[in-house]
């Protein structure tokens, strides 16, 4: 069983069935994935789009809407009610009342406002909308989690033959959003990944900050940044086991760590979350594993937001969307 198959099975047996907002109903694969999510018991899809668009797409795709929950975003009275609820709370908003009413004409905004208000548990989008639009909408409706400065994307990397602290799966972060994170941003990336790994995989996170240096064996600005980020994680979230700076082998191999680290560490050699110093390193590492080790990397859930949002690939297949929704569902636990 592959990792994504396991995660899909895990989602099916969750006691609470997460309500998943799906706003991109002009795409046939949205409804095809929603049908499977409902029929397989992965979650409860909530289709958020104009009702006529949903009907037309369903007919085109040959998908039955039986049992589907539909939120008609062309309903002017419903739009007014949702906008009022969003603006009437105690929480400060980044938009005016007029502004949110205008934005709610876009189903993705409608879906995330529903999530912010607790009407759904998570939002899955991105195979129609751009990453930039998904990020902006989530930022202005849901906002970032406490202690987090930037959103990020982690990858659950599955490598045949790898025998690491959690078998053949390990978490890499940040793998998609922040090219040259500052120390405070790197700390945010680590915190977000730790929380996501705990929710999705059920692991007790052990976070290792990677570098070309292990505990002072090298020096430079990048090493200083990593150590500053580590100190910020300890300050912001003392509950997260984190250490560094580590070379890769010191992070995942206890025998190497015993030789190189030279001090007591509950994390060294046993890391299950690897924080890369920049996007260059993370992107190259993922592709090396995919190309040379025939490994796979999964993950379109955006880390760092106060509530779960997924930014899918515009080239994603229905199978990939279903798997990504399963991961998103698990992140709501």
């Amino acid at each position: 069983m592959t990792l994504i198959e396991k995660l899909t099975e895990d989602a099916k047996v969750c006691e609470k069935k997460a309500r998943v907002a799906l706003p991109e109903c002009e795409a046939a694969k949205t409804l095809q994935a929603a049908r499977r999510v409902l029929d397989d018991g992965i979650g409860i899809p909530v289709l958020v789009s104009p009702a006529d668009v949903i009907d037309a797409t369903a007919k085109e795709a040959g998908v039955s809407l039986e049992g589907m929950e539909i939120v008609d975003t062309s309903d002017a009275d419903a739009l007014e009610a949702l906008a009022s609820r969003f603006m009437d709370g105690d929480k400060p908003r980044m938009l005016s009342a007029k502004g949110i009413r205008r934005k709610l004409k876009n189903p993705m905004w409608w879906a995330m406002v529903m999530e912010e208000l607790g009407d759904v548990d998570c939002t899955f989008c991105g195979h129609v909308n751009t990453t930039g639009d998904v990020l902006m909408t989530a930022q202005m409706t849901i906002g970032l989690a406490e202690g987090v400065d930037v959103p990020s994307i982690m990858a659950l990397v599955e490598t045949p033959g790898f025998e690491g602290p959690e078998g053949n799966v390990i978490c890499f972060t940040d793998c998609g959003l922040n090219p040259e994170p500052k120390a405070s941003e790197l700390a945010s990336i680590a915190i977000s990944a730790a929380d996501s790994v705990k929710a999705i995989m059920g692991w007790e996170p052990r976070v290792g900050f990677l570098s070309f240096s292990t505990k002072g064996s090298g020096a430079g600005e990048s090493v200083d940044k990593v150590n500053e980020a580590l100190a910020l994680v300890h300050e912001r979230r003392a509950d997260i086991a984190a250490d560094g700076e580590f070379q890769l082998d010191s992070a995942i191999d206890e025998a190497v760590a015993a030789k190189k680290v030279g001090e007591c560490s509950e994390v060294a050699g046993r890391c299950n979350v690897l924080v890369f110093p920049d996007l260059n390193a993370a992107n190259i590492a993922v592709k090396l594993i995919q190309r040379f080790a025939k490994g796979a990397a999964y993950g379109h859930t955006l880390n760092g937001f106060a509530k779960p949002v997924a930014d899918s690939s515009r080239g994603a297949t229905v199978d990939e969307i279903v798997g990504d929704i399963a991961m998103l569902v698990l992140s709501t636990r």
Side-chain angles (χ1 to χ4, degrees):
M1 182 182 290
T2 66
L3 172 63
I4 204 66
E5 289 169 341
K6 179 187 181 301
L7 293 176
T8 301
E9 292 302 313
D10 289 347
K12 290 177 183 179
V13 298
C14 280
E15 185 174 343
K16 177 194 171 187
K17 292 301 177 186
R19 292 168 54 78
V20 185
L22 298 168
E24 296 171 330
C25 297
E26 67 271 41
K29 57 189 177 182
T30 300
L31 299 194
Q32 290 164 347
R35 186 75 258 168
R36 284 179 50 186
V37 166
L38 182 60
D39 290 347
D40 293 349
I42 293 168
I44 302 171
V46 179
L47 306 180
V48 184
S49 283
D52 59 347
V53 170
I54 295 171
D55 287 339
T57 306
K59 289 175 183 175
E60 174 196 341
V63 172
S64 169
L65 295 176
E66 184 179 357
M68 296 276 196
E69 184 173 340
I70 295 173
V71 175
D72 182 6
T73 61
S74 66
D75 184 330
D77 291 338
L79 186 153
E80 181 64 29
L82 189 66
S84 295
R85 288 174 60 207
F86 184 72
M87 297 303 297
D88 288 349
D90 296 332
K91 192 173 181 179
R93 301 302 185 188
M94 299 176 71
L95 287 168
S96 66
K98 182 178 179 181
I100 192 60
R101 284 167 172 80
R102 186 173 63 251
K103 292 292 189 184
L104 284 174
K105 294 176 182 178
N106 181 325
M108 182 170 66
W109 280 81
W110 190 302
M112 291 197 202
V113 168
M114 286 180 64
E115 182 176 357
E116 164 62 13
L117 295 174
D119 296 347
V120 294
D121 298 301
C122 51
T123 301
F124 186 90
C125 51
H127 52 280
V128 173
N129 291 279
T130 67
T131 294
D133 286 341
V134 173
L135 289 170
M136 180 183 69
T137 306
Q139 179 79 50
M140 297 186 75
T141 55
I142 295 169
L144 294 171
E146 185 176 351
V148 173
D149 301 331
V150 291
S152 56
I153 293 178
M154 72 175 194
L156 292 172
V157 180
E158 183 178 34
T159 308
F162 173 57
E163 296 181 5
E166 308 289 349
N168 70 347
V169 180
I170 199 162
C171 172
F172 288 5
T173 194
D174 168 34
C175 297
L177 291 183
N178 300 282
E180 296 181 359
K182 300 174 184 177
S184 62
E185 294 171 336
L186 203 60
S188 294
I189 289 165
I191 290 168
S192 299
D195 287 342
S196 290
V197 152
K198 189 167 187 174
I200 294 171
M201 299 298 292
W203 296 346
E204 197 58 43
R206 296 182 298 277
V207 179
F209 283 84
L210 297 183
S211 173
F212 66 87
S213 168
T214 295
K215 291 292 187 178
S217 65
E221 289 184 8
S222 66
V223 177
D224 294 341
K225 180 182 76 170
V226 164
N227 281 302
E228 184 181 347
L230 174 63
L232 288 170
V233 170
H234 289 158
E235 178 183 319
R236 295 179 189 178
R237 289 286 301 276
D239 59 303
I240 294 175
D243 204 353
E245 81 281 7
F246 295 140
Q247 292 165 293
L248 177 64
D249 52 359
S250 298
I252 62 173
D253 188 317
E254 290 187 83
V256 173
K259 295 177 181 177
K260 288 189 174 183
V261 172
E263 61 185 64
C264 181
S265 171
E266 63 177 323
V267 169
R270 302 176 61 242
C271 299
N272 51 22
V273 177
L274 301 179
V275 182
F276 287 79
D278 57 43
L279 185 55
N280 271 325
N283 183 271
I284 291 167
V286 168
K287 286 178 169 49
L288 282 170
I289 286 174
Q290 289 171 328
R291 293 289 180 170
F292 292 149
K294 306 303 180 186
Y298 306 98
H300 287 104
T301 300
L302 295 170
N303 290 337
F305 287 108
K307 297 182 179 183
V309 176
D311 175 39
S312 178
S313 166
R314 277 176 280 175
T317 65
V318 173
D319 284 344
E320 289 169 338
I321 290 172
V322 171
D324 285 339
I325 290 175
M327 288 182 63
L328 183 64
V329 164
L330 291 173
S331 73
T332 68
R333 293 190 293 187

